[in-house]
Amino acid sequence: MNDLGRIEDLPLEYRQRLTEQNLVPLWPSLRGVMPPHVPGPKTQPTHWSYQSIKPLLMQAGELTPIEKAERRVLVLANPGHGLDKMQASPALYLGMQLLLPGEWAPSHRHTPNAVRMVVEGEGAWTTVEGEKCPMSRGDLILTPSGLWHEHGHEGTEPVIWLDVLDLPLVYYMEASYHVNGDGKRQQVHAGQGFRQYARGGMRPTPVFQSNNKRYPMLRYPWADARAALQSMADNDPALECVQITYVNPETGEDAENILGFYALMLRPGQSLKLPARSPACVFHQIEGRSELQIGEQSFALELADTCCAPGYTGVRLRNLSASEPAFFFMADESPLHRKLGIYEVRD
Ligand SMILES: [Fe+2]
């Protein structure tokens, strides 16, 4: 309810004079940009079925050669923002990418930060600034802002992964651009962060050489994340939320600057209610089947399905298996909200 007057209440001649001077009266629009108590999100609870995406992505593989596409991706777009905006939420972009055996997506770098969550297929790799990261199902690979990266595939079956970028935000900031490489494969150097930081709570000792890389770890193997979750669940059967955050192992801060990345485990049959929080959040089913209730809406998630929840909305997750755990990869806008000072937990 707008109780501050409408623009039409002002004389036409006055409005025209304002427009000529690039001026706008605030009061008729004030409630729209600052609604009472709760924001009015465009982001809608949305579910993307992997079984529906995969045939269309495979068809893209037939329709468009990698040389033409550069990156062969179907974007998971939230209808609340309009599909042409190619965003899942205010700051999150999601894309399902296909690389066929023998294909190569050449080196480039860009300002938006990206991560890859491997959904299906073995034998692909991403080289980031000369560090070759093997891609296995459930692995998280970082390609942060400004770092050169390319993708290749030496396996025999198609590889599909989920791209998560902060593209909508960086684009909104008018700071989004890319730079292409020289068309040659990157020189691969020795040393891999996921081996250097192979165990939690231990990091390499910098006696002769300090590790001053801004992003010391670029690959987070799923085998390690899964083992950490299982260990936490075994250690404390009363622990309600079995969740880990992917962090920079040198600083303990979030792995990237704008988006946060997590893995979450539900015990067999477990139901978990997450509080309403200000950032939007994405859930991707790595193992098992589940039911997600986002506000008033419910979605059944099969393996590799993806769901988006708007901010300020409670989410209830339920593992549909009584015998097997369920695992999720999650991405949200928490680091951004914390830096902006607008992070909130409600109820
Ligand atoms: Fe890229």
Side-chain angles (χ1 to χ4, degrees):
M1 182 76 178
N2 190 340
D3 53 4
L4 298 178
R6 299 172 307 148
I7 186 93
E8 295 79 15
D9 296 342
L10 298 167
L12 181 61
E13 187 266 336
Y14 177 71
R15 282 187 266 148
Q16 284 170 342
R17 277 170 56 209
L18 291 179
T19 303
E20 282 164 15
Q21 301 301 319
N22 296 322
L23 296 169
V24 176
L26 174 62
W27 59 97
S29 305
L30 186 56
R31 293 287 184 254
V33 292
M34 262 187 262
H37 307 299
V38 186
K42 287 185 188 165
T43 306
Q44 292 174 6
T46 308
H47 171 237
W48 294 272
S49 152
Y50 184 62
Q51 287 312 314
S52 303
I53 295 171
K54 191 179 170 185
L56 295 167
L57 194 52
M58 295 309 295
Q59 204 176 345
E62 293 162 20
L63 293 170
T64 310
I66 192 75
E67 296 76 21
K68 191 176 169 195
E70 195 170 301
R71 299 294 193 265
R72 196 192 285 114
V73 178
L74 291 179
V75 178
L76 283 56
N78 192 302
H81 289 271
L83 300 186
D84 58 317
K85 294 287 191 298
M86 297 198 300
Q87 58 192 103
S89 77
L92 279 153
Y93 157 104
L94 303 172
M96 211 52 98
Q97 180 156 177
L98 169 70
L99 202 61
L100 294 169
E103 287 187 334
W104 178 58
S107 209
H108 71 187
R109 62 185 172 91
H110 38 71
T111 45
N113 295 275
V115 301
R116 334 278 160 193
M117 166 53 53
V118 184
V119 175
E120 186 179 330
E122 295 292 327
W125 45 266
T126 297
T127 298
V128 189
E129 295 278 317
E131 180 174 329
K132 191 170 181 176
C133 300
M135 300 175 87
S136 276
R137 197 180 71 82
D139 287 357
L140 181 72
I141 315 275
L142 308 189
T143 60
S145 180
L147 269 55
W148 291 104
H149 56 278
E150 64 183 80
H151 312 290
H153 188 6
E154 290 153 6
T156 54
E157 300 298 321
V159 162
I160 296 171
W161 65 78
L162 178 69
D163 289 318
V164 185
L165 279 78
D166 48 29
L167 175 64
L169 178 78
V170 180
Y171 180 77
Y172 175 75
M173 301 298 291
E174 299 184 351
S176 178
Y177 70 92
H178 87 282
V179 179
N180 277 330
D182 58 8
K184 298 192 185 113
R185 300 215 171 196
Q186 287 184 39
Q187 197 82 36
V188 173
H189 58 67
Q192 290 167 308
F194 70 92
R195 292 182 196 276
Q196 285 176 295
Y197 299 90
R199 294 288 180 271
M202 285 172 263
R203 64 182 169 99
T205 307
V207 174
F208 296 108
Q209 256 179 321
S210 67
N211 191 345
N212 54 10
K213 283 183 184 168
R214 196 164 165 202
Y215 300 97
M217 193 156 153
L218 297 165
R219 175 185 181 231
Y220 297 76
W222 173 236
D224 294 345
R226 193 185 193 285
L229 291 165
Q230 190 68 60
S231 178
M232 283 168 66
D234 294 345
N235 175 63
D236 182 2
L239 181 64
E240 198 181 358
C241 184
V242 184
Q243 183 179 340
I244 53 163
T245 303
Y246 292 99
V247 297
N248 178 324
E250 285 287 341
T251 65
E253 304 280 325
D254 291 288
E256 287 188 346
N257 289 327
I258 293 173
L259 301 179
F261 307 103
Y262 319 87
L264 183 143
M265 170 181 160
L266 294 180
R267 297 182 179 87
Q270 186 186 352
S271 183
L272 175 69
K273 185 173 180 288
L274 298 173
R277 288 173 285 187
S278 53
C281 186
V282 164
F283 299 85
H284 174 76
Q285 188 96 41
I286 298 183
E287 281 184 39
R289 293 169 58 233
S290 65
E291 184 188 70
L292 247 71
Q293 190 177 346
I294 304 171
E296 300 301 308
Q297 286 177 258
S298 276
F299 303 95
L301 264 69
E302 300 289 334
L303 184 66
D305 284 6
T306 307
C307 227
C308 177
Y312 298 87
T313 309
V315 177
R316 182 180 286 280
L317 305 101
R318 189 162 68 89
N319 183 355
L320 293 176
S321 170
S323 56
E324 300 295 328
F327 293 91
F328 300 86
F329 166 66
M330 291 157 60
D332 79 0
E333 301 164 333
S334 291
L336 174 66
H337 276 228
R338 289 203 174 88
K339 286 181 175 101
L340 295 176
I342 58 170
Y343 183 82
E344 264 187 73
V345 181
R346 298 213 175 160
D347 70 38

